[in-house]
Amino acid sequence: MLRTLFRKWRESRNASLQLDAILTATDPDAPLAERNRWLIELGFWIRRDGMAGVEVDGGEGPGRGTRSFREHVRMRYLVQVLERHPDWAERFGATMRSIVRDNDPTALFCDTGVASHPGFVSEMVHRLQARFLPPPPNRSDMAALFALLFVGQHDAEWVEALDDELLARLARVLRAGMTAAGEADGGAQAMARYWAALGHMLSTSIAVLVSQVRATGLSQSVRSRLRGRVEDTPFYQLDSAIKALCEPGLTHADEAFGHRLNYFRALLDGCHAAALQVYAELEENGVSVEVVFQIERMKVQLARIELLLAAWVEPGRPGMHAHLVAELIRSTQARRSVSDLAGASFAQLARRVVERSAETGEHYITRDRKEYGELMRAAAGGGLITVATVYLKFLIYGLHLDKFIEGLLASLNYAGSFLIIHFAHFTLATKQPAMTGPALAHRLDAVGRPEGLEVFVDDTIAMIRSNAAAIFGNLAVVFPVALAIQWLANKILGANLITPAKAIATIESFSIVGPTPLYAVFTGVLLWLSSLIAGWADNWFALHKVHDVMAYNRRLRYVLGERGAQRLADFWQRNMSGISANVSLGLLLGLGPEILSFVGPHMEVRHVTLSTGSVGTALGVLGLEALRLPSLWLAVAGIALMGVLNVAVSFALAFNMALRSRSLRRVDRAELSAAVRRRILKHPLSLIVPPRMAGAEPVAGSRRA
């Protein structure tokens, strides 16, 4: 029983009645719900045997005659049957006309494909609900009927590809029975009334969309980001322009209509330019997802106005109505997509976050020996601070407190040491890739030109060299210093800072044979997430103008003085991103594994610098005898892989996000990889030794200075 029901449920996706049963059930006097259900059933019959067709030769014009659709074959068969049975054709035409007459098209023209809610969250909830809860067919709403009728993935394609001959035959069928008693012109007056009604619906829908665009453009969130007086903005003038264009008695042939139409289209172009101006302001002063959502919705409304305007002004242009219906189908189907909504709304924020990371990443790419030496010294300082972090970590976990308390104290330990590294202008190697990835992605804009490709290769080599130098600088200090502290403690105090059992367990926990690679990947993700949080915090600071709020705060000025308040505001503006990155990374490394292990799989942090310091401490406890332990060398291999995974995962995630946040054309990745390989094979020492001067990077085919 259940298997039968499940089989029928699966078959119902594409099943339909036979054509004769559908045409027999045609009834123009039936309730609207029954007529709508009849049309939906006809739609399923038309596409029942598949969507896409086969490629054939012949035909002219874009999209016409170059592809054959099975839906076209069924449409021709339907028209042929109706032409042979005038009684069916008369009822068919009357039913179709009644469906068009009784379903309100305003929502279809104005709301289909356009976000209907004022905010991103409410619109996302609405779309999620629409995916699982389709509209009922008993509503007099053409938009709901479209959503139920056109459910095929390729419906818009086959509708737009309908040829003129088939459309003309279908139009004759739909006019069947329209001839009024005593009329010798075959229903010309009725058709004239139909075209007049269609033109009125289009102009009314354009006026509705204009009111919505005007409301968005004059809202505080958009108006405050535009230059000039409000009455000079194109949004303010749209209302009077559309009223003049739709003036009663004004025909399309009038010269005044042409002038007013050109003025109205110029205002639409001005609205597009204003949207770009808002985007430029957002990129400079912080991105708001809600404002981006409103601008994206307005852009869709402007595009819809232009589509309806073309159909209203040029109704007789070949293929115009098929194109209009196809665009409405595409909009109906896109309206169900949550990913499209999120992509359009968050792309701008992602770009802002990436831009901030790229600015920071530029400082981590060394291009000459002077910068290389400064990076090595900064990395050595970072390694020295990390030694204290390692010993504090052993102390915290040696207290055997509650897991959450342990994680919280570990977070404070990590965050504190990272902040010290930040303010001392030192470097922690594994934080670099999440910043250098976006900086490197910027170079892809120009890789289509030879000089742009060379710049990309130069920076790729410099980035690899800089990351390797930072890791070497960290490890070259953290391992011997951690070992020396433990050795001195044993020699002077006669005590070990950790027990031998803990030392052995520490070494074994870093073995390459086990979960260490997985934990290292997890740590790389956390490193990337901290860069996202830093970019978001910097965007929030700029968006809400926190610098100006602090600089002009009355109480801060009273306590610190005017200059003190300004300096405090400048301090936070300079360091908001760095403080956010370091504090968030400390919290993620300390509390992240504890929280994830509570709700999901067990995870631990495997950070290459911290782990190297831990091994150095363990060796100081165990002495030279530890060199005979196989677990030590497995741990060394594990730490080597750990460094590669920490860097590779965080860099890959940051680089991929940078690519997705920018409107970049697709580049030949094989050529980029080949160019980098050629440089490495030609000048392998460039991965280790920087050039003497910036810009002196050796290129393939050139001689070294």
Side-chain angles (χ1 to χ4, degrees), residues 132-168:
F132 302 101
L133 193 64
N138 60 344
R139 294 165 50 186
S140 58
D141 184 0
M142 189 66 76
L145 181 59
F146 256 57
L148 294 169
L149 179 60
F150 297 107
V151 296
Q153 183 180 358
H154 302 281
D155 281 351
E157 295 180 22
W158 72 260
V159 169
E160 191 164 21
L162 287 169
D163 59 83
D164 296 334
E165 183 268 338
L166 178 57
L167 288 173

Side-chain angles (χ1 to χ4, degrees), residues 15 141 231 234 242 440 487 552 566 615:
D141 184 0
E231 58 267 26
I242 191 61
L440 191 61
W487 183 82
Y552 294 100
Q566 182 68 41
V615 170

Side-chain angles (χ1 to χ4, degrees), residues 569-584:
D570 292 343
F571 168 83
W572 279 104
Q573 186 175 40
R574 290 192 308 269
N575 295 286
M576 172 56 72
S577 177
I579 292 174
S580 302
N582 289 293
V583 172
S584 63

Side-chain angles (χ1 to χ4, degrees), residues 457-518:
V457 174
D458 288 345
D459 280 0
T460 301
I461 298 298
M463 183 271 297
I464 296 173
R465 183 175 59 235
S466 301
N467 284 328
I471 292 177
F472 177 78
N474 280 169
L475 303 189
V477 172
V478 70
F479 177 79
V481 172
L483 177 63
I485 290 176
Q486 167 56 41
W487 183 82
L488 288 174
N490 182 269
K491 291 297 182 182
I492 296 174
L493 302 177
N496 293 320
L497 298 178
I498 60 173
T499 64
K502 177 65 176 177
I504 293 175
T506 298
I507 291 175
E508 291 177 347
S509 67
F510 298 140
S511 173
I512 194 173
V513 181
T516 292
L518 177 62

